[in-house]
């Protein structure tokens, strides 16, 4: 069967040519995006694959970060991601539930929260870093620590979590809520047992993608927790830590031996890309998993 579009009788040939040209332009732009993505990935893999080894992934940096591995930076990145998730997920999901399920759809409160959420998502990440340093590091006295960095990154990812939750719940038909209430369930039971499970595929996708953004942020952790050289693993949330984005920035711009550190920089970038790729794959897997659970219950 041909995939070419069909046109009604009398359809103007010039309009047909214009439509074909537009489709061709869109297709070319799409291929350009894919080409750019693969070009970047290919370049990083070509430059960084040579340094990837078990020692590189499992050892601490040595000799002024000109040799050794990046294990402390990997652990620090994962700790910051987990800490930001603990902060952002409950607050973001509850905020999205309030905006869609409890607040008046046309009320000023929802409009104000949505406006502030959109503004918050547009603030540069370095501003979050300065705010985190002023509030968490200095005013609350957490110091340069994993706790301060996690709270700052949690605030950074909060707008995405809120909007993802709100949009996921908004797509659930009101008839499902009304049916649950008609059967005697309370509003809270309806939200917890019916609405949230149905919206969970999209909610989880948004949550995991927010972690992908957090994993690559440098500016917020630069002011709140990241250490230039911290080869030992942190023992509490009040310790500093190394992190892959900041480690990459340091060894690529201000290391002790730029030439010797350049392969390590590309290897670090490759590991960071691999972490983001795994997170994106997990997002797709969780979406399919929860969609299957919802269909099974139905």
């Amino acid at each position: 069967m041909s995939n070419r579009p069909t046109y009604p009788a009398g359809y103007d040939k010039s309009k047909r040519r214009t439509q074909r040209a537009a489709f061709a332009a869109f297709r070319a732009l799409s291929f350009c995006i894919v080409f750019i993505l693969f070009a970047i990935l290919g370049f990083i893999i070509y430059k960084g694959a040579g340094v990837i080894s078990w020692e590189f992934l499992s050892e601490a940096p040595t000799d002024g970060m000109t040799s050794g591995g990046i294990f402390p930076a990997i652990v620090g990145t994962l700790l910051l991601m987990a800490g930001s998730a603990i902060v952002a997920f409950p607050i973001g999901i509850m905020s999205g539930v309030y905006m869609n399920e409890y607040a008046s759809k046309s009320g000023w409160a929802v409009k104000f929260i949505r406006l502030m959420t959109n503004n918050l998502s547009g603030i540069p990440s370095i501003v979050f870093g300065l705010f985190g340093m002023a509030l968490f590091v200095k005013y609350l006295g957490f110091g340069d620590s994993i706790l301060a960095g996690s709270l700052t990154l949690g605030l950074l990812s909060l707008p995405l979590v809120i909007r993802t939750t709100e949009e996921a719940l908004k797509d659930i038909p009101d008839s499902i809520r009304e049916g649950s209430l008609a059967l005697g369930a309370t509003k809270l039971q309806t939200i917890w047992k019916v609405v949230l499970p149905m919206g969970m595929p999209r909610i989880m996708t948004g949550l995991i993608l927010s972690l992908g953004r957090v994993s690559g942020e440098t500016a917020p952790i630069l002011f709140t927790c990241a250490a230039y050289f911290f080869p030992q693993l942190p023992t509490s949330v009040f310790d500093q830590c190394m992190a892959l984005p900041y480690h990459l920035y340091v060894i690529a711009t201000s290391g002790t031996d730029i030439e010797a550190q350049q392969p390590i920089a590309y290897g670090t970038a490759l590991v960071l890309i691999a972490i983001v790729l795994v997170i994106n794959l997990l997002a797709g897997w969780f979406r399919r998993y929860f969609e299957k659970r919802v269909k099974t219950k139905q």
Side-chain angles (χ1 to χ4, degrees):
M1 182 181 294
S2 175
N3 292 326
R4 296 180 60 183
T6 57
Y7 303 95
Y11 194 83
D12 187 76
K13 291 185 178 180
S14 63
K15 292 182 179 179
R16 189 181 306 179
R17 286 193 296 269
T18 302
Q19 181 170 311
R20 288 176 178 172
F23 286 159
F26 293 152
R27 190 179 298 111
L29 291 174
S30 300
F31 280 116
C32 284
I33 294 172
V34 174
F35 173 77
I36 293 172
L37 174 61
F38 277 99
I40 294 173
L41 291 177
F43 176 76
I44 297 297
I45 292 172
Y46 173 75
K47 290 287 188 176
V51 302
I52 300 297
S53 65
W54 176 248
E55 289 74 19
F56 182 74
L57 299 175
S58 62
E59 294 181 357
T62 57
D63 299 330
M65 294 192 293
T66 57
S67 60
I70 58 171
F71 182 67
I74 296 175
V75 173
T77 300
L78 296 178
L79 288 175
L80 290 172
M81 291 170 60
S84 66
I86 293 173
V87 173
F89 288 7
I91 299 175
I93 291 177
M94 287 189 291
S95 299
V97 169
Y98 168 76
M99 292 173 64
N100 193 76
E101 302 296 326
Y102 286 98
S104 173
K105 299 295 173 56
S106 58
W108 67 269
V110 170
K111 294 180 180 179
F112 179 76
I113 295 174
R114 189 174 291 120
L115 176 63
M116 292 299 102
T117 302
N118 292 335
N119 290 335
L120 193 64
S121 63
I123 295 177
S125 60
I126 193 170
V127 178
F128 280 95
L130 291 171
F131 174 78
M133 181 182 65
L135 177 61
F136 303 124
V137 176
K138 297 184 177 296
Y139 183 75
L140 295 180
F142 296 151
D144 292 330
S145 62
I146 295 173
L147 179 59
S150 298
L151 291 170
T152 305
L153 292 173
L155 293 179
L156 178 67
S157 59
L158 194 57
L160 178 59
V161 179
I162 293 175
R163 292 310 303 269
T164 300
T165 303
E166 184 187 6
E167 294 299 324
L169 300 182
K170 190 181 296 183
D171 289 341
I172 299 175
D174 289 336
S175 58
I176 294 178
R177 298 177 178 84
E178 294 166 358
S180 176
L181 295 172
L183 292 173
T186 64
K187 189 174 185 64
L188 181 59
Q189 289 174 331
T190 299
I191 294 172
W192 183 254
K193 297 291 186 180
V194 179
V195 177
L196 276 178
M198 293 189 66
M200 194 55 67
R202 290 183 58 186
I203 293 175
M204 286 301 301
T205 302
L207 299 183
I208 297 175
L209 291 179
S210 70
L211 291 180
R213 180 191 177 188
V214 164
S215 66
E217 289 292 344
T218 305
I221 62 175
L222 172 66
F223 294 105
T224 56
C225 68
Y228 179 87
F229 183 70
F230 195 78
Q232 66 269 27
L233 297 181
T235 58
S236 76
V237 294
F238 294 101
D239 288 342
Q240 284 186 284
C241 68
M242 297 181 69
L244 289 173
Y246 184 60
H247 182 68
L248 174 60
Y249 166 75
V250 168
I251 62 178
T253 59
S254 57
T256 57
D257 188 346
I258 300 297
E259 292 296 327
Q261 291 172 333
Q262 195 172 45
I264 299 177
Y266 285 115
T268 303
L270 181 57
V271 172
L272 186 58
I273 290 175
I275 290 176
V276 174
L277 177 61
V278 170
I279 290 173
N280 290 334
L281 292 175
L282 281 176
W285 183 84
F286 272 109
R287 184 183 182 92
R288 292 190 296 270
Y289 172 76
F290 282 103
E291 282 178 347
K292 289 180 181 178
R293 287 192 60 180
V294 171
K295 291 179 180 178
T296 302
K297 290 183 179 180
Q298 291 176 345

